[in-house]
Amino acid sequence: MNLATVSANGQITIPIEIRRSLNLKAGDKVLFLRKQSGEIVLSNSAERIIEKLQEAVADAGFTEDDILAEVMKVRYGDK
């Protein structure tokens, strides 16, 4: 069990074990999600966004090669 105390400003320090498990680094943003049950879940917002993006890309039928080709176009221009 990990416990954090809320400061007068509403701030908390996330315990090191939780930061490690969420792969959180200084400056990262965290996302608080409320489940239907009322439970609050904390997640690494960057990882959550990447997961959602991967789902959307897969649902659209893009392959990793398609995405890599688009990234290369943006980086190096349409050659």
Side-chain angles (χ1 to χ4, degrees), residues 16-34:
I16 188 69
E17 296 86 9
I18 304 301
R19 291 195 313 263
R20 285 180 180 153
S21 70
L22 293 174
N23 196 30
L24 290 172
K25 309 279 185 292
D28 284 353
K29 304 240 184 265
V30 294
L31 183 62
F32 295 88
L33 302 168
R34 183 185 305 265

Side-chain angles (χ1 to χ4, degrees), residues 3 8 20 29 34 46 52 57 78:
L3 186 65
R20 285 180 180 153
K29 304 240 184 265
R34 183 185 305 265
K52 289 288 189 186
V57 167
D78 220 358

Side-chain angles (χ1 to χ4, degrees), residues 21-67:
S21 70
L22 293 174
N23 196 30
L24 290 172
K25 309 279 185 292
D28 284 353
K29 304 240 184 265
V30 294
L31 183 62
F32 295 88
L33 302 168
R34 183 185 305 265
K35 291 185 169 186
Q36 250 180 339
S37 65
E39 179 183 14
I40 304 294
V41 178
L42 174 74
S43 69
N44 183 327
S45 67
E47 289 182 0
R48 181 85 172 146
I49 290 169
I50 290 169
E51 288 170 4
K52 289 288 189 186
L53 180 59
Q54 287 172 329
E55 291 170 10
V57 167
D59 291 345
F62 290 103
T63 66
E64 285 186 41
D65 289 337
D66 296 333
I67 295 167

